[in-house]
Amino acid sequence: MDWFTTSLDLAGVATPSDRIIDGISLAPALFNNTPVDRPIFYYRGNEMMAVRVGWYKAHYWTWTNSLAEFQKGTNFCPGEETTNLTTHTQVNNTLAPILIHLGKDPGEKYPIMAHTPEYKSVIPDIQAVVDDHMKKLIPGTPQLNKCDPAVQNWAPPGCKELGRCLPIPKHNEVDCVWVH
């Protein structure tokens, strides 16, 4: 979320010009119901996992959690498994990203096949956005790089009804270790 730039906008304060600020104000979307049309990049650690451009989302890497965690009962996507998207090993799809049309498939269940004209016409445009993003990206030091299993969502809404709530572990804040 672009809290910093939105807060500045709401306070009537100009965005600093002495440094790169990658956020934009969401005030038009919040108060005027005006959509903000820009790419959204999904990161896990330092790896770009996916990007959304307009109605399309391209998954460059897929991974939910390890098979060992899954077999212990940790399932980050219960009932939401999608072939090639919810994977227990890190899968590099950068040569042929998995493409979803979020307007037609908001649950991301039915990827657009790579051989279709739609895929072939959309992926080059998305790749150009990714290439531009990577060219301009200046990695920073994560400010919220603390991991604590106790603060993860172990009891999402509806888990009691399904009997799928997980026990909340003890507080143990440590530096995050991103495996990719």
Side-chain angles (χ1 to χ4, degrees):
M1 299 288 302
D2 295 319
W3 294 114
F4 179 67
T5 46
T6 303
S7 298
L8 291 176
D9 187 19
L10 294 177
V13 176
T15 303
S17 59
D18 63 338
R19 67 199 83 151
I20 296 172
I21 305 292
D22 66 352
I24 61 170
S25 175
L26 298 178
L30 294 171
F31 300 110
N32 302 328
N33 201 24
T34 304
V36 177
D37 186 22
R38 71 169 191 151
I40 300 171
F41 299 93
Y42 299 83
Y43 275 83
R44 191 170 194 173
N46 291 328
E47 190 66 51
M48 188 195 77
M49 302 293 283
V51 62
R52 178 179 176 167
V53 178
W55 284 109
Y56 292 95
K57 184 175 180 184
H59 291 267
Y60 284 77
W61 284 86
T62 54
W63 183 52
T64 54
N65 63 340
S66 71
L67 185 57
E69 287 176 332
F70 180 74
Q71 289 172 338
K72 289 179 188 174
T74 304
N75 184 359
F76 293 134
C77 306
E80 298 297 323
E81 287 76 16
T82 301
T83 303
N84 297 327
L85 278 180
T86 49
T87 58
H88 298 295
T89 57
Q90 297 169 34
V91 180
N92 181 345
N93 300 297
T94 55
L95 295 179
I98 297 172
L99 184 65
I100 306 287
H101 188 293
L102 296 173
K104 297 175 185 173
D105 180 17
E108 301 186 46
K109 296 277 191 190
Y110 308 101
I112 299 166
M113 298 293 104
H115 67 275
T116 64
E118 182 178 17
Y119 185 97
K120 291 177 181 178
S121 70
V122 171
I123 284 295
D125 295 336
I126 291 176
Q127 189 60 50
V129 169
V130 170
D131 291 343
D132 184 60
H133 170 70
M134 293 299 185
K135 183 175 75 177
K136 296 176 181 174
L137 181 68
I138 301 172
T141 302
Q143 297 175 9
L144 300 173
N145 205 23
K146 296 292 183 187
C147 291
D148 185 352
V151 299
Q152 295 176 7
N153 192 3
W154 296 94
C159 72
K160 287 182 183 176
E161 291 83 356
L162 296 172
R164 298 290 304 261
C165 296
L166 298 170
I168 299 171
K170 294 177 89 172
H171 171 70
N172 182 25
E173 185 178 286
V174 296
D175 287 338
C176 295
V177 176
W178 304 101
V179 294
H180 59 308

